[in-house]
Amino acid sequence: MSNTYKSAGVDKEEGYKTVDKIKSAVAETHNENVLNNLGSFGAFYQIAGYKNPVLVSGTDGVGTKLKVALDSKRYDSIGVDCFAMCANDILCHGAKPLFFLDYLACGKLDSEIAAEIVMGMVKACKDNECALIGGETAEMPGMYKPGDYDVAGFCVGIVEKDQIIDGSKIKAGHKIIALPSSGFHSNGFSLVRKIFPDFNEEFEGKPLYETLLVPTRLYFQPVHKLLEEVKVDGIAHITGGGIIENIPRIIPQGLCAEINTSAIRIPSVMLELEKRGNIDRTEMYGTFNMGVGMVIVIDANHAEKVLNLLDDAYEIGQITEGEEKIVLN
């Protein structure tokens, strides 16, 4: 019997089935700027309507949250997570997402699972007026076990050069506004899985995995609504490293973000994790978002307007002078 690619563990037909399952849905994310049929090795996107455009790009994955999804056989939220982790990052600079590409690797491809993951990306792209214009599926037996998947994404957005948000205009007296997270988002799951090994245990009346797999919140719609009305001087996406590591990334030298931790609305699942794992509160703030998915830094004169425009936003601190970039009170 002669050897074939399939006998080595790679089933090209399953890849073709995946494409068939997703191609019409992916096409629904396209707009007039997506140029199809110009080449088979790359995706084309034309830029129009900008005076001095700057492209802003971001790439990320889902991390070991994937393990929760795979063990629970729930795949629909993972694609949303992948898109959100990338799009929320470029949003910190005021960028509007233009297009997204994904990379899906596995040990043995199952077209149903792969399609479900990509359909999550499709949903997220449509909700954020972004085109899913390309991707790659890699079946790699020997590198991954059958049933294992890894997911990563790459997002490109655009912003006018004179509207770039980089934190350089932050001053003492500015207010720090929190936008709530939807849960753990896609960070800290190596510790989450250590403390919560049974994803099927009941938590607040439902299987724990349902709480853990709530997808990362997408902030494009509320933040761009805000940017149309108010001048924002800094935005931080609270990902790996939590508040402690991410807010200082946008704070100029000589200034300090003073955070009133008593104001932060910590989700009950994080409090349960802290208690069960006997985790120090500082470790929690340096690992998880603690219920704060994104932070807006704004002139104090605009704070009330921001809170009125963003229904669930609330104040958690202010900018002061100081050498420490962040202080938790």
Side-chain angles (χ1 to χ4, degrees), residues 63-86:
T64 62
K65 185 176 184 178
L66 264 169
K67 187 68 174 169
V68 182
L70 296 173
D71 288 358
S72 305
K73 301 188 186 309
R74 298 291 189 275
Y75 315 106
D76 55 334
S77 65
I78 291 301
V80 179
D81 283 308
C82 186
F83 175 81
M85 294 301 291
C86 301

Side-chain angles (χ1 to χ4, degrees), residues 45-105:
Y45 193 99
Q46 65 180 355
I47 296 172
Y50 288 80
K51 295 177 181 179
N52 196 6
V54 174
L55 297 180
V56 185
S57 59
T59 186
D60 209 337
V62 181
T64 62
K65 185 176 184 178
L66 264 169
K67 187 68 174 169
V68 182
L70 296 173
D71 288 358
S72 305
K73 301 188 186 309
R74 298 291 189 275
Y75 315 106
D76 55 334
S77 65
I78 291 301
V80 179
D81 283 308
C82 186
F83 175 81
M85 294 301 291
C86 301
N88 286 343
D89 273 355
I90 67 169
L91 179 60
C92 292
H93 300 291
K96 176 188 183 300
L98 294 177
F99 58 85
F100 182 77
L101 299 97
D102 71 278
Y103 177 78
L104 178 64

Side-chain angles (χ1 to χ4, degrees), residues 15 18 63 77 79 109 140-141 187 223 248 273 279 329:
T18 303
S77 65
L109 184 63
M140 297 189 287
N187 301 107
V223 170
L273 181 89
I279 304 170
N329 294 321

Side-chain angles (χ1 to χ4, degrees), residues 1 17 46 68 175 192-193 210 231 316 320 323 327:
M1 181 179 177
K17 289 179 185 176
Q46 65 180 355
V68 182
K175 297 295 185 181
V192 170
R193 291 184 301 108
E210 291 189 17
K231 183 177 179 294
I316 60 168
T320 60
E323 292 307 312
V327 172

